[in-house]
C-alpha cells in the first residue's frame, strides 16, 4: 500500500508512519515543522520529508489512503487535493481501528495515568510472551516504536486519548476504538479549549463507555467519584471491575507491593502509579496472566519516558522529569516524590505549557497542587501565550491561583536556570514537571552542574 501522512511529525503520527514502513508499506509524509526526536527517527527509516511545508503535488491518485494529523488545518492544500481526488482519508485513530477490527481491543482512557498504565500492560504482556499490537504515548524501554501493527496478534492495546481526532473529525480519539476491555483511570477537567465545561468533558467518558462491545469489561478507579458515577450509569451487560491503590510500604526510598503475604520490590513509586499498576493487573487478569506473574514482571518495569523519569541521582540527590501538567497530575506527582523521600527537601518546578494551563479561568484549578513541595517554582513563557492566541498572564495572577506560600513565578529560561543553579541540593529531590521542555533547558546538563 502507498500511504501519505499529512502532519507526519506528531508523536503518534511519526510512530505510526514508522510502523507502516516496517510493515512494508510505501510511506511518504509532510509537515511544516519537524523537531527531535521525530526528525532523526523519520530520517533513520528514510521517510523524512525532503522539504518542509505543504505541496499539493505530493497528492496523486495512486495513493491508497491519506492519514491526517491534528496539526494540519482544514484548508491544508494537500488535504484539499486529496478530497478533490476522492482519496480515502483516515485520522490515525480511524486507521488504528481499521487495523484492529478483528482483534481484542484493550483501551486505556482517563485524564491521567493512561501512558503509564498502557506501558505496564505492554511490559507484562512481553514478560508473559503474549504478542500484541499497540499504540502508546511514550517511548518504552524494550520497545523500539510507540506503534506496532501486525496480522497475527490477537490483541491491540491502545492508549485512549480524549482529545480531538483530526481537524475534520471533532470526535475524541477514544470514541473510535470500540473496546472489548476498557479502563478509566480518572476524570478531571482538561482541554478547556475543546470542552469549555466540566460537564461537557465528563460526557466524553460517558460516550466512551457506550462504545464498549456487548458483554465487554470496564475496569475503573474507585478512588475517583466522577469515575464511579460514570461507571454506575453504564450499561448492565458490561462486567465492571473496580480498583484502588495496591497495598504497599515504602522503606529507604524503595516501594514494595504486598500481595498474598509476599513483597515485590518496584522501581516506580507514588500512590497514583500504584493505582495505575492495579488497573494494569486487572487487565492482565482478563487475558490469563496471574497476579503473581504480573507483579513479578513489574519488578523490572522502569516506567515510561518522562513519567517520573530519573535524569540523574546520587546518594543524597535526584532530579526527576515528569509529564505532569494538569492539576491532578501535578498534585499526584509532587505528593509521590515527597512520600517516597520524606526526609529530603523537595523543590518542584512546573511549566505552564498547555492551552488549559495558560488559560486565566483555568488557573484556579491549580490551587493547592504544590502544597507538599518545600520550594515551588512555576515557569511560563509569554511567547507560548502568543502562539496559542491567549491573553498574557501576569505573575501575581499565577501566584494567587496556586495559593502556595513562597511560590516563585518566572518567565524567562535564563532566570529559571539561574534560580535552579543557586539552590542547595544536599538531601534534596528536584522535580521538573511539564508537557513541554522548559524552552529547551537541558536537564541533563543542569543535573551535571548541580551535582558538581
Amino acid at each position: 500500500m502507498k500511504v501519505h501522512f499529512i502532519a507526519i511529525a506528531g508523536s503518534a503520527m511519526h510512530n505510526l508512519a514508522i510502523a507502516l514502513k516496517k510493515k512494508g508499506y510505501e510511506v511518504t509524509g509532510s509537515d511544516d515543522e519537524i523537531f527531535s526526536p521525530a526528525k532523526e527517527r523519520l530520517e533513520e527509516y528514510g521517510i523524512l520529508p525532503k522539504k518542509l511545508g505543504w505541496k499539493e503535488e505530493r497528492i496523486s491518485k495512486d495513493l491508497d489512503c491519506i492519514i491526517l494529523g491534528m496539526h494540519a488545518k482544514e484548508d491544508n492544500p494537500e488535504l484539499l487535493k486529496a478530497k478533490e481526488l476522492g482519496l480515502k482519508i483516515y485520522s490515525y485513530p480511524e486507521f488504528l481501528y481499521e487495523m484492529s477490527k478483528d482483534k481484542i481491543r484493550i483501551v486505556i482512557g482517563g485524564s491521567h495515568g493512561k501512558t503509564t498504565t498502557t506501558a505496564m500492560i505492554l511490559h507484562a504482556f512481553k514478560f508473559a510472551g503474549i504478542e500484541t499490537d499497540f499504540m502508546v504515548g511514550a517511548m518504552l524501554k524494550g520497545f523500539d516504536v510507540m506503534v506496532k501493527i501486525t496480522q497475527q496478534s490477537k490483541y491491540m492495546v491502545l492508549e485512549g486519548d480524549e482529545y480531538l481526532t483530526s481537524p475534520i473529525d471533532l470526535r475524541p480519539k477514544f470514541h473510535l476504538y470500540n473496546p472489548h476491555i476498557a479502563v478509566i483511570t480518572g476524570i478531571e477537567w482538561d482541554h478547556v479549549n475543546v470542552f469549555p465545561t466540566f460537564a461537557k468533558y465528563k460526557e466524553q467518558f460517558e460516550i466512551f463507555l457506550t462504545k464498549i462491545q456487548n458483554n465487554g469489561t470496564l475496569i475503573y478507579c474507585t478512588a475517583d467519584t466522577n469515575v464511579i458515577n460514570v461507571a454506575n450509569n453504564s450499561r448492565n451487560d458490561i462486567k465492571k471491575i473496580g480498583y484502588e491503590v495496591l497495598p504497599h510500604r515504602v522503606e529507604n526510598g524503595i516501594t514494595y507491593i504486598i500481595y498474598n503475604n509476599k513483597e515485590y520490590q518496584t522501581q516506580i513509586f507514588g500512590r497514583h502509579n500504584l493505582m495505575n499498576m492495579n488497573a494494569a493487573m486487572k487487565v492482565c487478569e482478563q487475558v490469563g496472566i496471574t497476579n503473581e506473574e504480573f507483579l513479578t514482571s513489574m519488578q523490572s518495569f522502569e516506567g515510561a519516558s518522562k513519567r517520573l523519569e530519573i535524569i540523574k541521582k546520587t546518594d543524597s540527590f535526584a532530579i526527576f522529569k515528569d509529564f505532569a501538567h494538569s492539576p491532578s497530575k501535578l498534585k499526584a506527582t509532587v505528593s509521590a516524590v515527597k512520600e517516597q523521600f520524606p526526609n529530603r527537601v523537595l523543590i518542584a518546578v512546573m511549566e505552564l505549557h498547555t492551552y488549559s494551563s495558560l488559560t486565566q479561568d483555568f488557573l484556579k484549578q491549580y490551587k493547592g497542587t504544590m502544597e507538599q513541595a518545600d520550594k515551588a517554582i512555576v515557569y511560563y513563557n509569554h511567547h507560548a501565550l502568543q502562539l496559542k492566541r491567549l491573553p498574557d498572564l501576569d505573575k501575581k495572577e499565577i501566584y494567587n491561583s496556586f495559593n502556595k506560600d513562597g511560590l516563585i513565578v518566572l518567565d524567562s529560561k535564563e532566570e529559571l536556570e539561574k534560580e535552579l543553579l543557586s539552590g542547595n541540593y544536599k538531601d534534596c529531590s528536584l522535580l521538573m514537571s511539564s508537557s513541554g521542555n522548559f524552552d529547551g533547558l537541558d536537564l541533563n546538563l543542569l543535573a551535571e552542574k548541580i551535582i558538581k
Side-chain angles (χ1 to χ4, degrees), residues 227-264:
V227 175
I228 292 170
N229 176 259
V230 168
N232 286 344
N233 289 324
S234 62
R235 297 192 322 263
N236 290 332
D237 67 288
I238 297 170
K239 180 168 73 169
K240 299 167 189 177
I241 302 170
Y243 70 89
E244 54 189 12
V245 66
L246 282 168
H248 65 284
R249 69 180 183 88
V250 179
E251 184 179 338
N252 298 324
I254 298 171
T255 296
Y256 300 86
I257 304 297
I258 303 165
Y259 181 78
N260 276 354
N261 298 316
K262 185 176 177 181
E263 292 192 342
Y264 299 83

Side-chain angles (χ1 to χ4, degrees), residues 229-400:
N229 176 259
V230 168
N232 286 344
N233 289 324
S234 62
R235 297 192 322 263
N236 290 332
D237 67 288
I238 297 170
K239 180 168 73 169
K240 299 167 189 177
I241 302 170
Y243 70 89
E244 54 189 12
V245 66
L246 282 168
H248 65 284
R249 69 180 183 88
V250 179
E251 184 179 338
N252 298 324
I254 298 171
T255 296
Y256 300 86
I257 304 297
I258 303 165
Y259 181 78
N260 276 354
N261 298 316
K262 185 176 177 181
E263 292 192 342
Y264 299 83
Q265 182 177 325
T266 68
Q267 298 181 57
I268 63 161
F269 60 88
R271 291 180 62 84
H272 64 303
N273 276 330
L274 300 184
M275 282 194 278
N276 294 335
M277 189 180 288
N278 204 357
M281 186 165 76
K282 300 293 186 190
V283 169
C284 290
E285 208 172 11
Q286 301 305 301
V287 303
I289 297 173
T290 68
N291 292 343
E292 290 82 1
E293 288 171 328
F294 174 83
L295 292 170
T296 299
S297 77
M298 286 299 101
Q299 293 181 121
S300 58
F301 178 70
E302 296 181 22
S305 174
K306 300 180 185 176
R307 273 69 178 179
L308 273 178
E309 179 183 349
I310 295 176
I311 303 300
K312 298 276 183 184
K313 68 174 181 176
T314 67
D315 290 340
S316 63
F317 167 74
I319 175 171
F320 299 92
K321 175 168 60 175
D322 196 80
F323 195 69
H325 54 82
S326 71
S328 58
K329 292 176 185 175
L330 180 62
K331 185 173 184 178
T333 304
V334 169
S335 299
V337 177
K338 193 61 181 177
E339 181 183 312
Q340 195 74 0
F341 305 100
N343 299 320
R344 290 184 183 179
V345 172
L346 172 56
I347 301 173
V349 186
M350 189 267 181
E351 178 183 14
L352 300 174
H353 180 74
T354 64
Y355 189 101
S356 295
S357 67
L358 289 166
T359 302
Q360 291 174 352
D361 291 343
F362 189 79
L363 272 172
K364 60 187 177 184
Q365 304 290 327
Y366 286 95
K367 181 179 179 180
T369 54
M370 302 181 82
E371 198 53 46
Q372 291 199 49
D374 299 294
K375 178 178 179 179
I377 301 170
V378 172
Y379 172 73
Y380 74 110
N381 183 309
H382 296 277
H383 183 57
L385 285 153
Q386 291 166 8
L387 288 175
K388 291 176 171 63
R389 298 178 184 177
L390 289 168
D392 204 6
L393 294 172
D394 96 12
K395 293 181 179 181
K396 187 175 181 182
E397 194 171 14
I398 294 168
Y399 183 90
N400 291 339

